[in-house]
Amino acid sequence: PACAEDLAPDVMQLDDSSLCDAEMLAQRVSGLSLQEQCPMHEDVFVTHTGRYCELQNIHAPQVPELQPFTCFALCPNGNEAGAAPECLGYAAGDSAISDSLCATRETCEQLCAAQGDACVSIDMHKSKPRCFLNTDASCADSTSPRWVEHGLYSVLVKQDARTNFLTTSNSNCPGNNLRVADLEASIRRHQCVTKCNPEGEECVGDDCFCEEGYPGLDPAVEEDQDALCIPREMCEEICAGLPGCSGFDMHILRPRCYLNKVGTGAEDCTQEASRVAGRNGFNY
């Protein structure tokens, strides 16, 4: 497609030691065209916070690839001391016929993707490494009556999308937040300490998330000033549309996130070395 405007070449970019023909740079090339392509990513998991899809789980104990991840198989002694970290997802009542998997979000996503069309979505616990893989098409349809509201679960629907956010559980990227005060008004309106400040004007509408997102924040603390009171799906949408955003730190229970800036070296949050593991309460 044609460019929105005729862009002049930027000769200031010719700053290396090689020989360049500046005159040729400015000349049009007959028959040459450029087309931007944004390929779709397969098996992207889109979050729907506060819901689960009832009674349509893959029967994990009967699937060889899933059976080792079942809570019953992985955690024979429950979540007692010495158990695998994933056993924090074990719940009383998990048995040999239970479909529950004790695994982090990223592992649950990998397991669902490996099942192909047999897995359409995941019921994912917000704060624990615990999930259920869903097999019925209704569990990929957010309008289905099978979807039930639940404060501790989210439905992760598998689909193809242009943007894919990969999760690193119990981790965050400290000191690399985008300053919310410097962002556009449509993002600043979700700043927790402004939108939800009990001493300010009361937030009205279905996108406030103040009751759950604000507790524990202090408007005087610089880091808290960069918190957005919105659920994960809204954090993804904002970050995907913001050129300077490389990812975000998401509170595991609260609708609260911190956008991370694009950086290099120790400030590159996309590199594992820049993130702090074991940060309970957050996922990157």
Side-chain angles (χ1 to χ4, degrees):
C3 295
E5 57 182 318
D6 191 7
L7 300 176
D10 183 5
V11 296
M12 298 302 295
Q13 295 186 22
L14 303 177
D15 59 356
D16 60 19
S17 59
S18 61
L19 296 176
C20 300
D21 189 333
E23 182 178 354
M24 289 295 294
L25 177 69
Q27 294 183 7
R28 295 181 179 273
V29 179
S30 177
L32 176 65
S33 63
L34 300 177
Q35 185 176 16
E36 182 181 24
Q37 292 188 346
C38 300
M40 300 289 281
H41 295 277
E42 295 182 348
D43 299 335
V44 174
F45 289 85
V46 178
T47 304
H48 298 262
T49 301
R51 308 172 74 183
Y52 74 96
C53 186
E54 62 177 354
L55 303 177
Q56 297 299 316
N57 306 137
I58 293 177
H59 192 38
Q62 294 184 352
V63 180
E65 300 86 357
L66 300 179
Q67 192 274 338
F69 295 92
T70 61
C71 293
F72 181 80
L74 185 65
C75 313
N77 298 316
N79 55 8
E80 295 180 355
E86 290 79 8
C87 291
L88 290 173
Y90 180 90
D94 283 338
S95 67
I97 61 173
S98 297
D99 300 326
S100 56
L101 303 178
C102 281
T104 61
R105 171 168 175 153
E106 50 267 45
T107 299
C108 292
E109 290 181 356
Q110 293 169 4
L111 293 174
C112 181
Q115 292 299 304
D117 294 340
C119 183
V120 301
S121 68
I122 304 168
D123 295 333
M124 188 75 222
H125 198 285
K126 285 184 180 181
S127 64
K128 296 181 179 181
R130 180 179 179 85
C131 70
F132 299 82
L133 306 188
N134 298 320
T135 186
D136 190 82
S138 62
C139 292
D141 179 6
S142 62
T143 65
S144 170
R146 293 191 182 278
W147 286 46
V148 179
E149 292 187 4
H150 195 295
L152 292 178
Y153 277 87
S154 297
V155 180
L156 317 181
V157 176
K158 186 173 70 174
Q159 62 186 57
D160 295 342
R162 296 196 183 281
T163 304
N164 186 19
F165 287 90
L166 302 177
T167 302
T168 304
S169 296
N170 297 316
S171 179
N172 80 322
C173 191
N176 289 284
N177 298 337
L178 282 169
R179 299 311 313 270
V180 173
D182 298 333
L183 303 179
E184 59 189 73
S186 62
I187 301 174
R188 292 200 310 271
R189 66 181 294 267
H190 294 297
Q191 184 184 34
C192 296
V193 297
T194 300
K195 178 171 71 170
C196 305
N197 192 330
E199 298 181 2
E201 184 177 346
E202 182 180 1
C203 181
V204 178
D206 58 3
D207 62 351
C208 292
F209 307 104
C210 291
E211 184 176 349
E212 294 179 310
Y214 184 78
L217 296 179
D218 184 347
V221 176
E222 183 174 307
E223 184 182 42
D224 290 355
Q225 296 169 10
D226 297 327
L228 300 178
C229 280
I230 48 178
R232 173 165 173 152
E233 49 266 46
M234 292 182 66
C235 293
E236 290 185 355
E237 181 180 358
I238 288 176
C239 187
L242 193 62
C245 183
S246 64
F248 55 91
D249 301 325
M250 187 76 219
H251 198 285
I252 60 175
L253 273 179
R254 301 188 183 280
R256 182 197 302 168
C257 68
Y258 300 80
L259 303 178
N260 292 315
K261 61 187 177 183
V262 174
T264 58
E267 294 185 348
D268 183 1
C269 293
T270 64
Q271 301 300 313
E272 185 176 355
S274 299
R275 300 194 292 269
V276 176
R279 174 73 185 271
N280 291 329
F282 281 89
N283 293 333
Y284 174 77

